[in-house]
Amino acid sequence: TASVSAPVAAIQAPFPNPFTDRIYFRTVGSGPVIVKIADALGRTVQSAGSFTGQHELHCIKLPASLASGGYFLIATSKTGRFSAFHLQH
């Protein structure tokens, strides 16, 4: 039988959730992780940038104009790490 391995996480679960104007998260690996916030239709509402530092705490400040509702925080790395979390604002 063939085995399929699950992707390795890029970040730990962001907090707080629901959020107001800031989201915090920790990176998992030591390489850079690209983070973006997308709406329910998958449109990027904010490209948060690249974050580095294994297990380091990071903060994303969100625009005051961000409407209430559901969003996704998506994190990817060049080494194949991936994370996606549903967030409520």
Side-chain angles (χ1 to χ4, degrees):
T1 62
S3 66
V4 177
S5 59
V8 178
I11 63 170
Q12 294 176 350
F15 61 93
N17 191 11
F19 66 92
T20 52
D21 65 337
R22 297 175 196 275
I23 298 172
Y24 298 89
F25 64 92
R26 290 188 186 278
T27 48
V28 175
S30 58
V33 175
I34 306 298
V35 177
K36 70 177 183 176
I37 308 295
D39 66 12
L41 298 175
R43 298 176 297 204
T44 300
V45 295
Q46 181 172 348
S47 293
S50 179
F51 299 87
T52 59
Q54 192 166 8
H55 303 293
E56 195 168 315
L57 182 64
H58 300 282
C59 176
I60 300 171
K61 184 166 178 12
L62 298 160
S65 61
L66 194 63
S68 295
Y71 293 90
F72 292 93
L73 187 147
I74 301 166
T76 58
S77 75
K78 290 182 180 179
T79 60
R81 293 177 180 269
F82 175 83
S83 298
F85 297 94
H86 181 257
L87 302 171
Q88 195 64 38
H89 178 49

mmCIF file of all heavy atoms in Angstrom, residues 12 14 17-18 27-28 30 32-33 35-36 38 43 45-47 49 62 65 75 77-78 80-83 87-88:
data_model
loop_
_atom_site.group_PDB
_atom_site.id
_atom_site.type_symbol
_atom_site.label_atom_id
_atom_site.label_comp_id
_atom_site.label_asym_id
_atom_site.label_seq_id
_atom_site.Cartn_x
_atom_site.Cartn_y
_atom_site.Cartn_z
ATOM 1 N N GLN A 12 1.707 27.908 13.988
ATOM 2 C CA GLN A 12 0.765 27.398 14.978
ATOM 3 C C GLN A 12 -0.521 28.209 14.878
ATOM 4 O O GLN A 12 -0.540 29.279 14.264
ATOM 5 C CB GLN A 12 1.355 27.527 16.379
ATOM 6 C CG GLN A 12 2.566 26.643 16.594
ATOM 7 C CD GLN A 12 3.199 26.848 17.955
ATOM 8 O OE1 GLN A 12 2.855 27.769 18.686
ATOM 9 N NE2 GLN A 12 4.159 26.005 18.289
ATOM 10 N N PRO A 14 -3.348 30.738 15.039
ATOM 11 C CA PRO A 14 -3.328 32.157 15.397
ATOM 12 C C PRO A 14 -4.315 32.464 16.524
ATOM 13 O O PRO A 14 -5.284 31.730 16.735
ATOM 14 C CB PRO A 14 -3.744 32.854 14.098
ATOM 15 C CG PRO A 14 -4.508 31.830 13.345
ATOM 16 C CD PRO A 14 -3.961 30.498 13.752
ATOM 17 N N ASN A 17 -9.049 34.477 18.493
ATOM 18 C CA ASN A 17 -10.034 34.163 17.466
ATOM 19 C C ASN A 17 -11.373 33.988 18.164
ATOM 20 O O ASN A 17 -11.549 33.009 18.876
ATOM 21 C CB ASN A 17 -9.634 32.895 16.724
ATOM 22 C CG ASN A 17 -10.467 32.665 15.484
ATOM 23 O OD1 ASN A 17 -11.207 33.532 15.054
ATOM 24 N ND2 ASN A 17 -10.350 31.474 14.916
ATOM 25 N N PRO A 18 -12.293 34.939 18.040
ATOM 26 C CA PRO A 18 -12.313 36.032 17.074
ATOM 27 C C PRO A 18 -11.280 37.112 17.394
ATOM 28 O O PRO A 18 -10.844 37.245 18.530
ATOM 29 C CB PRO A 18 -13.732 36.580 17.163
ATOM 30 C CG PRO A 18 -14.274 36.110 18.460
ATOM 31 C CD PRO A 18 -13.513 34.880 18.849
ATOM 32 N N THR A 27 5.705 30.947 14.242
ATOM 33 C CA THR A 27 6.201 30.155 13.128
ATOM 34 C C THR A 27 6.677 28.805 13.668
ATOM 35 O O THR A 27 7.077 28.688 14.818
ATOM 36 C CB THR A 27 7.350 30.878 12.416
ATOM 37 O OG1 THR A 27 8.288 31.343 13.389
ATOM 38 C CG2 THR A 27 6.847 32.062 11.619
ATOM 39 N N VAL A 28 6.633 27.784 12.825
ATOM 40 C CA VAL A 28 7.026 26.440 13.237
ATOM 41 C C VAL A 28 8.465 26.141 12.830
ATOM 42 O O VAL A 28 9.267 25.721 13.647
ATOM 43 C CB VAL A 28 6.058 25.387 12.657
ATOM 44 C CG1 VAL A 28 6.531 23.984 12.977
ATOM 45 C CG2 VAL A 28 4.659 25.613 13.201
ATOM 46 N N SER A 30 12.278 27.185 10.764
ATOM 47 C CA SER A 30 13.213 28.308 10.831
ATOM 48 C C SER A 30 13.247 29.137 9.551
ATOM 49 O O SER A 30 13.675 30.274 9.561
ATOM 50 C CB SER A 30 14.623 27.799 11.148
ATOM 51 O OG SER A 30 15.024 26.877 10.157
ATOM 52 N N PRO A 32 11.698 31.164 6.058
ATOM 53 C CA PRO A 32 10.659 32.181 5.912
ATOM 54 C C PRO A 32 9.290 31.585 5.583
ATOM 55 O O PRO A 32 9.187 30.595 4.871
ATOM 56 C CB PRO A 32 11.162 33.059 4.764
ATOM 57 C CG PRO A 32 12.175 32.249 4.052
ATOM 58 C CD PRO A 32 12.722 31.261 5.027
ATOM 59 N N VAL A 33 8.260 32.211 6.134
ATOM 60 C CA VAL A 33 6.868 31.821 5.913
ATOM 61 C C VAL A 33 6.141 33.045 5.371
ATOM 62 O O VAL A 33 6.227 34.124 5.942
ATOM 63 C CB VAL A 33 6.213 31.347 7.228
ATOM 64 C CG1 VAL A 33 4.736 31.066 7.030
ATOM 65 C CG2 VAL A 33 6.917 30.123 7.769
ATOM 66 N N VAL A 35 2.698 34.942 4.698
ATOM 67 C CA VAL A 35 1.372 34.935 5.320
ATOM 68 C C VAL A 35 0.468 35.940 4.618
ATOM 69 O O VAL A 35 0.891 37.049 4.305
ATOM 70 C CB VAL A 35 1.480 35.279 6.823
ATOM 71 C CG1 VAL A 35 0.107 35.358 7.471
ATOM 72 C CG2 VAL A 35 2.340 34.251 7.545
ATOM 73 N N LYS A 36 -0.779 35.505 4.381
ATOM 74 C CA LYS A 36 -1.773 36.422 3.827
ATOM 75 C C LYS A 36 -3.112 36.162 4.494
ATOM 76 O O LYS A 36 -3.355 35.075 5.035
ATOM 77 C CB LYS A 36 -1.893 36.276 2.315
ATOM 78 C CG LYS A 36 -2.526 34.995 1.846
ATOM 79 C CD LYS A 36 -2.659 34.977 0.333
ATOM 80 C CE LYS A 36 -3.371 33.724 -0.150
ATOM 81 N NZ LYS A 36 -3.585 33.738 -1.587
ATOM 82 N N ALA A 38 -7.155 36.141 3.640
ATOM 83 C CA ALA A 38 -8.082 36.060 2.512
ATOM 84 C C ALA A 38 -9.518 36.075 3.021
ATOM 85 O O ALA A 38 -9.799 35.614 4.133
ATOM 86 C CB ALA A 38 -7.828 34.789 1.714
ATOM 87 N N ARG A 43 -10.174 35.823 -1.941
ATOM 88 C CA ARG A 43 -9.472 37.037 -2.372
ATOM 89 C C ARG A 43 -8.568 37.530 -1.257
ATOM 90 O O ARG A 43 -8.979 37.600 -0.093
ATOM 91 C CB ARG A 43 -10.478 38.137 -2.727
ATOM 92 C CG ARG A 43 -11.399 37.769 -3.875
ATOM 93 C CD ARG A 43 -12.418 38.835 -4.096
ATOM 94 N NE ARG A 43 -13.253 38.935 -2.888
ATOM 95 C CZ ARG A 43 -14.486 39.423 -2.878
ATOM 96 N NH1 ARG A 43 -15.036 39.882 -3.972
ATOM 97 N NH2 ARG A 43 -15.176 39.462 -1.755
ATOM 98 N N VAL A 45 -7.060 39.932 1.129
ATOM 99 C CA VAL A 45 -7.414 41.250 1.664
ATOM 100 C C VAL A 45 -6.197 41.930 2.281
ATOM 101 O O VAL A 45 -6.176 43.135 2.440
ATOM 102 C CB VAL A 45 -8.577 41.190 2.677
ATOM 103 C CG1 VAL A 45 -9.854 40.726 2.002
ATOM 104 C CG2 VAL A 45 -8.255 40.295 3.849
ATOM 105 N N GLN A 46 -5.184 41.125 2.638
ATOM 106 C CA GLN A 46 -3.932 41.691 3.132
ATOM 107 C C GLN A 46 -2.807 40.690 2.943
ATOM 108 O O GLN A 46 -2.914 39.545 3.373
ATOM 109 C CB GLN A 46 -4.017 42.078 4.607
ATOM 110 C CG GLN A 46 -2.727 42.686 5.125
ATOM 111 C CD GLN A 46 -2.861 43.259 6.522
ATOM 112 O OE1 GLN A 46 -3.947 43.417 7.042
ATOM 113 N NE2 GLN A 46 -1.751 43.569 7.126
ATOM 114 N N SER A 47 -1.746 41.114 2.271
ATOM 115 C CA SER A 47 -0.510 40.335 2.203
ATOM 116 C C SER A 47 0.314 40.765 3.402
ATOM 117 O O SER A 47 0.796 41.896 3.449
ATOM 118 C CB SER A 47 0.233 40.616 0.901
ATOM 119 O OG SER A 47 -0.499 40.118 -0.182
ATOM 120 N N GLY A 49 3.142 39.521 4.566
ATOM 121 C CA GLY A 49 4.588 39.520 4.402
ATOM 122 C C GLY A 49 5.238 38.208 4.759
ATOM 123 O O GLY A 49 4.581 37.177 4.907
ATOM 124 N N LEU A 62 -4.145 44.535 11.384
ATOM 125 C CA LEU A 62 -5.114 44.526 10.299
ATOM 126 C C LEU A 62 -5.701 45.917 10.082
ATOM 127 O O LEU A 62 -5.789 46.716 11.015
ATOM 128 C CB LEU A 62 -6.217 43.519 10.615
ATOM 129 C CG LEU A 62 -5.663 42.102 10.739
ATOM 130 C CD1 LEU A 62 -6.605 41.214 11.498
ATOM 131 C CD2 LEU A 62 -5.391 41.549 9.367
ATOM 132 N N SER A 65 -10.469 49.274 8.327
ATOM 133 C CA SER A 65 -11.594 49.186 7.396
ATOM 134 C C SER A 65 -12.049 47.746 7.132
ATOM 135 O O SER A 65 -13.014 47.538 6.400
ATOM 136 C CB SER A 65 -11.200 49.832 6.069
ATOM 137 O OG SER A 65 -10.098 49.142 5.496
ATOM 138 N N ALA A 75 -0.677 30.436 5.394
ATOM 139 C CA ALA A 75 0.774 30.529 5.529
ATOM 140 C C ALA A 75 1.438 29.427 4.721
ATOM 141 O O ALA A 75 1.046 28.266 4.813
ATOM 142 C CB ALA A 75 1.173 30.404 7.000
ATOM 143 N N SER A 77 5.454 28.063 2.943
ATOM 144 C CA SER A 77 6.906 28.221 2.920
ATOM 145 C C SER A 77 7.460 27.565 1.662
ATOM 146 O O SER A 77 6.790 26.736 1.038
ATOM 147 C CB SER A 77 7.549 27.588 4.157
ATOM 148 O OG SER A 77 7.550 26.185 4.035
ATOM 149 N N LYS A 78 8.685 27.908 1.305
ATOM 150 C CA LYS A 78 9.340 27.322 0.132
ATOM 151 C C LYS A 78 9.647 25.846 0.342
ATOM 152 O O LYS A 78 9.852 25.106 -0.609
ATOM 153 C CB LYS A 78 10.623 28.080 -0.195
ATOM 154 C CG LYS A 78 10.375 29.458 -0.737
ATOM 155 C CD LYS A 78 11.676 30.150 -1.085
ATOM 156 C CE LYS A 78 11.418 31.535 -1.621
ATOM 157 N NZ LYS A 78 12.649 32.244 -1.940
ATOM 158 N N GLY A 80 7.583 23.669 1.570
ATOM 159 C CA GLY A 80 6.368 22.870 1.504
ATOM 160 C C GLY A 80 5.488 22.917 2.736
ATOM 161 O O GLY A 80 4.457 22.246 2.782
ATOM 162 N N ARG A 81 5.876 23.689 3.725
ATOM 163 C CA ARG A 81 5.017 23.811 4.904
ATOM 164 C C ARG A 81 3.783 24.633 4.529
ATOM 165 O O ARG A 81 3.863 25.557 3.736
ATOM 166 C CB ARG A 81 5.758 24.486 6.056
ATOM 167 C CG ARG A 81 6.882 23.640 6.608
ATOM 168 C CD ARG A 81 7.638 24.381 7.716
ATOM 169 N NE ARG A 81 8.699 23.583 8.239
ATOM 170 C CZ ARG A 81 8.576 22.762 9.271
ATOM 171 N NH1 ARG A 81 7.427 22.641 9.882
ATOM 172 N NH2 ARG A 81 9.602 22.062 9.706
ATOM 173 N N PHE A 82 2.627 24.293 5.131
ATOM 174 C CA PHE A 82 1.378 24.965 4.804
ATOM 175 C C PHE A 82 0.459 24.969 6.015
ATOM 176 O O PHE A 82 0.365 23.969 6.724
ATOM 177 C CB PHE A 82 0.687 24.241 3.646
ATOM 178 C CG PHE A 82 -0.675 24.794 3.327
ATOM 179 C CD1 PHE A 82 -0.804 25.903 2.524
ATOM 180 C CD2 PHE A 82 -1.816 24.204 3.856
ATOM 181 C CE1 PHE A 82 -2.056 26.437 2.245
ATOM 182 C CE2 PHE A 82 -3.074 24.715 3.569
ATOM 183 C CZ PHE A 82 -3.194 25.831 2.766
ATOM 184 N N SER A 83 -0.210 26.099 6.235
ATOM 185 C CA SER A 83 -1.231 26.198 7.276
ATOM 186 C C SER A 83 -2.342 27.094 6.773
ATOM 187 O O SER A 83 -2.079 28.081 6.079
ATOM 188 C CB SER A 83 -0.662 26.803 8.568
ATOM 189 O OG SER A 83 0.360 26.013 9.106
ATOM 190 N N LEU A 87 -10.696 32.371 10.626
ATOM 191 C CA LEU A 87 -10.722 33.383 11.668
ATOM 192 C C LEU A 87 -12.030 34.156 11.593
ATOM 193 O O LEU A 87 -12.590 34.340 10.509
ATOM 194 C CB LEU A 87 -9.567 34.378 11.490
ATOM 195 C CG LEU A 87 -8.161 33.796 11.481
ATOM 196 C CD1 LEU A 87 -7.161 34.870 11.081
ATOM 197 C CD2 LEU A 87 -7.837 33.248 12.851
ATOM 198 N N GLN A 88 -12.489 34.629 12.714
ATOM 199 C CA GLN A 88 -13.718 35.421 12.762
ATOM 200 C C GLN A 88 -13.393 36.830 13.247
ATOM 201 O O GLN A 88 -12.658 37.009 14.201
ATOM 202 C CB GLN A 88 -14.725 34.749 13.721
ATOM 203 C CG GLN A 88 -16.126 35.261 13.570
ATOM 204 C CD GLN A 88 -16.712 34.962 12.204
ATOM 205 O OE1 GLN A 88 -16.491 33.904 11.635
ATOM 206 N NE2 GLN A 88 -17.473 35.899 11.671
#
